[in-house]
Amino acid sequence: MKYAIVFPGQGSQSLGMLSDLSSNFSIVKDIFSEASDALDLDLWKLVQEDEDALNQTKNTQPAMLAAGYATYKVLSNEVDLSPICMAGHSLGEYTALVAAKSLNYFEAVKLVRKRAELMQSAVPSGTGAMAAILGLEDEKVIEICTQSKILGVVEAVNFNSPGQVVIAGEKDAVNNACEVMKNVGAKRTLVLPVSVPSHCSLMNNAAQEFSYSVDAVNFKMGEANVLHNVDASYADDVNEIKLKLVEQLCKPVLWTLSVQKMKESGVEKLIELGPGKVLARLTKRIDKSLSSLAVIDTATVQSTIEEIS
């Protein structure tokens, strides 16, 4: 079985996530404890007890990094993993780099906290928005965003699967684009409950500031190939990894293209590690010949081991 390992990003978090895994695998609490030390807060308690705090971007991003990496460590301690490649959606790209041993976990926790803080401060509260557009071709979504820029910044930022694109920008421009897209045949437009318009040009200044934090962290070429969001390709050296992470902050997530690249590389199955099943569901929409697994609890750990052993 040729497989890729993928990690979800912000939006897949849920109160009480990984509680079943933590009851059966002590490594989960160990991973969260290390993140807690990096952040100087009890991240596990927050994830289990405080939904409002969990959904604050500055906490969500390190929490999702910890959850994805803890799930990876659970599985890798049980079975030898040999993925063709790894990838992560948005924030999940950092989890992939940590799992590939390209980025130290403790440093990664602090780095994604900084990333989250810069994103949150880049746009005044209440002025940004994101919306999912269902049922329109990518080119049509891009075209309407371009036409709607008279009202402000609005851009296609997450190409998640054919017929599912997320747009982001200034609230009035996003709302206007949603109305136009419904009028031209979108099956649904859904404004997302987020305060930060990720992956659009409103993050340009944040990306510039973030570059200093990225430069201060030691990266190395990992033990597994990691596909990057900004171009659905691998980095050739450490400097390119850093550049791709900085660009990712203000450029679109090319997830459809990333999954297609996995297929071209011989991947037959995607294994999603972390809370939720978002990426597993997207896989089916991108290419029905690919299968997927989502490892979210002890039962799915065991079933995954059986499939790949």
Side-chain angles (χ1 to χ4, degrees):
M1 173 63 67
K2 296 179 179 179
Y3 59 89
I5 290 175
V6 296
F7 298 93
Q10 192 167 351
S12 289
Q13 74 274 8
S14 61
L15 188 67
M17 61 186 183
L18 270 65
S19 58
D20 176 82
L21 283 179
S22 72
S23 298
N24 294 282
F25 302 96
S26 60
I27 189 68
V28 173
K29 290 278 186 68
D30 293 342
I31 294 297
F32 271 83
S33 178
E34 189 171 352
S36 295
D37 289 343
L39 300 173
D40 195 24
L41 70 88
D42 190 335
L43 189 62
W44 179 255
K45 183 177 181 180
L46 182 152
V47 163
Q48 300 302 310
E49 300 179 8
D50 193 340
E51 188 167 20
D52 287 342
L54 173 60
N55 288 331
Q56 293 174 16
T57 294
K58 67 177 183 178
N59 297 323
T60 309
Q61 294 195 20
M64 283 300 299
L65 172 65
Y69 185 51
T71 307
Y72 172 79
K73 292 297 288 184
V74 166
L75 189 62
S76 64
N77 284 351
E78 296 295 311
V79 63
D80 288 333
L81 295 173
S82 55
I84 286 181
C85 63
M86 296 185 186
H89 190 284
S90 189
L91 184 279
E93 188 169 299
Y94 291 80
T95 322
L97 289 167
V98 171
K101 298 184 179 179
S102 177
L103 173 60
N104 173 271
Y105 172 60
F106 189 86
E107 292 298 317
V109 172
K110 294 190 290 185
L111 187 61
V112 300
R113 164 58 75 89
K114 183 64 174 180
R115 177 181 185 267
E117 290 172 346
L118 288 170
M119 291 171 68
Q120 190 70 65
S121 63
V123 179
S125 179
T127 65
M130 298 182 76
I133 311 300
L134 306 181
L136 283 185
E137 293 184 355
D138 294 356
E139 293 74 15
K140 194 65 179 176
V141 174
I142 294 169
E143 176 189 330
I144 293 171
C145 285
T146 301
Q147 295 169 353
S148 299
K149 282 188 175 179
I150 192 170
L151 294 176
V153 172
V154 55
E155 298 160 6
V157 297
N158 289 355
F159 295 91
N160 287 334
S161 69
Q164 186 185 129
V165 178
V166 174
I167 64 174
E170 294 172 283
K171 183 178 289 186
D172 288 347
V174 169
N175 289 338
N176 178 74
C178 285
E179 288 302 314
V180 175
M181 291 184 201
K182 282 190 283 190
N183 291 336
V184 301
K187 293 179 181 177
R188 190 179 182 194
T189 64
L190 178 65
V191 176
L192 302 176
V194 298
S195 58
V196 177
S198 305
H199 303 294
C200 73
S201 59
L202 293 175
M203 294 292 128
N204 285 348
N205 290 339
Q208 178 61 47
E209 184 69 23
F210 186 54
S211 67
Y212 303 122
S213 298
V214 172
D215 282 341
V217 174
N218 289 321
F219 287 80
K220 59 183 179 180
M221 297 308 292
E223 296 178 0
N225 287 324
V226 174
L227 277 170
H228 293 270
N229 287 180
V230 294
D231 54 7
S233 67
Y234 306 114
D236 292 327
D237 55 43
V238 168
N239 288 332
E240 193 175 359
I241 292 173
K242 292 182 176 183
L243 179 62
K244 289 176 189 286
L245 289 179
V246 172
E247 288 183 339
Q248 190 226 55
L249 203 58
C250 57
K251 291 189 176 181
V253 172
L254 305 182
W255 190 252
T256 299
L257 198 58
S258 295
V259 173
Q260 291 169 343
K261 181 69 172 285
M262 295 178 205
K263 173 74 178 293
E264 292 170 8
S265 301
V267 169
E268 301 166 310
K269 183 185 291 291
L270 272 67
I271 301 175
E272 180 177 3
L273 301 182
K277 302 178 180 180
V278 169
L279 302 182
R281 287 194 293 266
L282 290 178
T283 300
K284 296 176 184 177
R285 296 179 186 144
I286 294 168
D287 191 324
K288 289 183 170 56
S289 71
L290 291 171
S291 60
S292 59
L293 293 168
V295 179
I296 56 175
D297 54 22
T298 304
T300 48
V301 168
Q302 296 305 322
S303 60
T304 301
I305 291 171
E306 292 169 9
E307 285 222 26
I308 66 177
S309 297

